[in-house]
């Protein structure tokens, strides 16, 4: 269930009050609706009631929409995360497996208290802001396998370098970091030993051209198999690979580029084929990812790089998009022409 309008929240709450057994069918809730100040109290009550009825809920996703407001000077501000909703989420501790916080970009972002998900012993996936206040606390998430810290479009120059160092994540296997932050090395030193998937995301090309964390820090991830990063210069994309240090387990490299179309596509395919035949180079299994698809969550794993070549190329549909998956890349199908 995805809420795009606050009236949908009140309508579903009324349905649940009339038929409480419906709630146990819901597995995912996405809250992406603006709420006026006049409706805020009713919205909080209704959403808390919905969460209390969804006894099999596995995924909760929030955007900033429900928390944005304007103050007296018409500046954008945010309401605090409602305590009633926090308590309702805590009651889903036995079923909750995924929690995501998606900022809309260009505005302040709300911060939910991490205490509402720490009781969830089955939580496997968490996406929050890299500068979340709880990053300085001691947090234990025993079942967490994937941590996405890239969910911020305007990454500040972080003053405190101790973020996430006191977190205990014994089962972490996948980590997504923003490019424009200075804490990558410390975070990977603390949590990189068992990582199998590592991605560096850059939503608005804020990262420094000189900074290449994918080269500097993969030695901190001795079990890494799949590396994903932004290629700054698509015309020289394969040259970037020559800067990567030797690695014992790294098997697949994906690079986000602005457009893998036309001449770039042909040149890349030719150079990639030559690279696979060469005996003196590493990183032969390399692909391009179309940045026009960067909003598709987990694109590199949704179209895995180890798909047998006999099954490719293939075309897939997700809402609003047709996507072509080939051995050399994943891109929007309308680029085929």
């Amino acid at each position: 269930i995805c809420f795009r309008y606050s009236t949908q929240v009140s309508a579903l709450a009324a349905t649940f009050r009339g038929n409480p057994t419906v709630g146990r069918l819901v597995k995912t809730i996405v809250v992406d609706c603006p709420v006026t100040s006049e409706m805020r109290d009713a919205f909080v009550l209704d959403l808390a009631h919905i969460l209390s009825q969804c006894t099999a809920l596995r995924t909760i996703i929030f955007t900033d929409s429900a928390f944005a407001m304007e103050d007296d000077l018409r500046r954008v501000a945010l309401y605090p995360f409602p305590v009633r909703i926090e308590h309702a989420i805590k009651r889903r501790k036995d079923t909750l497996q995924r929690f995501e916080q998606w900022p809309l970009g260009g505005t302040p972002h709300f911060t939910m208290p991490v205490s509402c998900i720490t009781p969830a012993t089955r939580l496997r996936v968490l996406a929050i802001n890299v500068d979340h206040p709880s990053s300085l606390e001691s947090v234990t998430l025993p079942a967490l396998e994937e941590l996405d810290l890239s969910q911020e479009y305007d990454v500040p120059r972080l003053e405190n370098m101790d973020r996430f160092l006191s977190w205990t994540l014994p089962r972490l296997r996948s980590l997504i970091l923003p490019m424009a932050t200075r804490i990558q090395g410390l975070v990977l030193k603390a949590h990189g030993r068992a990582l199998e998937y590592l991605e560096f995301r850059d939503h608005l090309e804020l990262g420094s051209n000189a900074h290449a964390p994918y080269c500097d820090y993969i030695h901190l991830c001795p079990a890494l198999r799949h590396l994903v990063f932004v290629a700054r210069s698509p015309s020289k994309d394969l040259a970037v690979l020559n800067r990567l240090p030797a690695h014992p387990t790294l098997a697949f490299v994906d690079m986000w580029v602005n457009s893998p179309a036309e001449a770039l596509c042909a040149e890349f395919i030719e150079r990639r084929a030559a690279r696979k035949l060469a005996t003196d180079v590493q990183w032969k299994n390399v692909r391009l990812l179309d940045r026009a698809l960067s909003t598709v969550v987990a694109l590199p794993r949704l179209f895995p790089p180890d798909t047998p070549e006999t099954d490719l190329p293939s075309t897939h549909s997700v809402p609003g998009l047709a996507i072509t998956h080939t051995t050399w890349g994943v891109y929007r199908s309308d680029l085929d022409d």
Side-chain angles (χ1 to χ4, degrees), residues 139-185:
V139 174
T140 299
L141 296 170
L144 196 74
E145 298 175 3
E146 178 179 330
L147 178 60
D148 187 343
L149 302 178
S150 73
Q151 312 305 323
E152 187 168 0
Y153 290 81
D154 185 13
V155 180
R157 294 297 178 186
L158 300 176
E159 295 180 1
N160 196 311
M161 302 293 283
D162 296 330
R163 297 184 181 274
F164 302 101
L165 301 191
S166 297
W167 282 37
T168 301
L169 309 170
R171 297 187 62 181
L172 189 67
R173 298 295 181 269
S174 174
L175 180 63
I176 305 173
L177 289 166
M179 287 281 287
T181 180
R182 294 180 294 174
I183 66 170
Q184 295 123 328

Side-chain angles (χ1 to χ4, degrees), residues 176-216:
I176 305 173
L177 289 166
M179 287 281 287
T181 180
R182 294 180 294 174
I183 66 170
Q184 295 123 328
L186 292 173
V187 171
L188 290 173
K189 188 174 182 179
H191 305 293
R193 182 154 298 278
L195 288 183
E196 297 175 359
Y197 177 89
L198 176 62
E199 180 172 359
F200 294 95
R201 278 230 171 195
D202 190 4
H203 296 285
L204 293 179
E205 300 187 10
L206 297 172
S208 167
N209 289 337
H211 182 47
Y214 40 85
C215 296
D216 299 338

